[in-house]
Amino acid sequence: MEFSTRCRGAGSRRPRPLRAPPPRPRPASPRPRLPPGGPRGGKMAAAMKAGLGRLGLRVCWQTAESIFRPAGAAPACLVVPVRTKKKYSVPEWARELSPEEREKRLKSSGTIFPDEHIERTFYLACTADIIDPYIPPEGDARLTSLSKDGLKQKMEKLKQTATSQLALRKVKDHDPDFSTKTFPEKAQEIFIEAHNCLANFNKQKLHSLVTERCYPEMVRGNRYRTIRWSFVESLEPPRVVHIRCDSIVNRGNLYGQVTVRMHTRQTLAIYDRFGRLMYGGEDVPKDVLEYVVFERYLANPYGTWRMHGKIVPEWAPPKEPIVKTVMIPGPTLDPSQEYEEMK
């Protein structure tokens, strides 16, 4: 109890004690407290208590097992289930059937495969073949115009001249400098230069003198060979015997082909990789009658005339066979024997 210490003077009264305030009355029914998380939090708390209880039992069981287990004993195996991706396997019928039967079964089930188209290389700079090839008359360069057969050849030539004249007009429309009088000499120069490039293996220049169709025919099989070719003389002046002009894909892609007859004398010798003579001879000139086809892509204003191929008549004599070098196998020897003993 605390007392007041202030005095009012003489004859004052005793100090009065200070009283504490009365306590506040509490409510009769207090509000119930909700667990954290709302009403669902109680269920989660109960589940956590149950899980912690199971965890405690598991820890106690592992502790007891470690106590009663001997020191050298191996621990118990722990199996952990792991979920993997589903594997797709090929059905058995697809493995056992052949490709033809499998395709037949797929077609019967309604599965249709697109048709396979065979594609091949197409060059716009040249054609893949000779257009309307010239048919040389039998006995050419042997018959005179005074004989009966010679007159027949003259008549057939006149018939083919009409078609050649129509083609000549189309060629002159794209190449105004073209002339049947001056072109044979130019064609012979291209022919001689192309064969010299073939003998010297000048592939870069050879591509500019022959077409993409003629190039593989000239170089095929000559990789390990040595070629000696020379032009001796011309027995008859070259002349144009056939002219054709045709278009491919559309009318704008025009190609002109001119067949030139050449009767010349040449020398040819072919050696194999061992230096042995396979064909012909450098000192033996031969008379050769050839029908050479030259082609130009007329749609290209910068195009040039190139050698496209040769026409070999059916009545031409067969070529001489090529002599090949073949290794003759010797006797089979044992490791302890020598070749001199076998002789």
Side-chain angles (χ1 to χ4, degrees), residues 124-125 174-175 252-255 296-304:
L124 284 176
H174 296 81
D175 187 6
N253 286 331
L254 281 176
Y255 297 87
R296 178 180 175 179
Y297 184 36
L298 299 177
N300 184 10
Y302 303 101
T304 57

Side-chain angles (χ1 to χ4, degrees), residues 131 168 174:
I131 303 171
L168 179 61
H174 296 81

Side-chain angles (χ1 to χ4, degrees), residues 184-257:
E185 297 178 359
K186 180 181 177 181
Q188 190 171 10
E189 293 176 1
I190 296 172
F191 175 82
I192 296 171
E193 194 172 358
H195 282 77
N196 287 330
C197 293
L198 177 65
N200 299 328
F201 294 97
N202 191 351
K203 298 181 180 180
Q204 287 75 17
K205 193 172 183 179
L206 185 62
H207 272 291
S208 62
L209 298 172
V210 300
T211 61
E212 286 77 11
R213 174 189 176 272
C214 184
Y215 180 82
E217 295 180 359
M218 292 184 67
V219 302
R220 186 182 295 116
N222 298 334
R223 184 174 183 180
Y224 300 107
R225 297 176 183 176
T226 303
I227 301 174
R228 296 287 184 265
W229 181 89
S230 63
F231 179 82
V232 180
E233 60 178 345
S234 179
L235 300 178
E236 294 182 24
R239 56 187 176 88
V240 177
V241 295
H242 199 69
I243 302 175
R244 288 294 178 269
C245 186
D246 199 1
S247 60
I248 297 178
V249 181
N250 53 39
R251 295 183 179 180
N253 286 331
L254 281 176
Y255 297 87
Q257 293 184 358

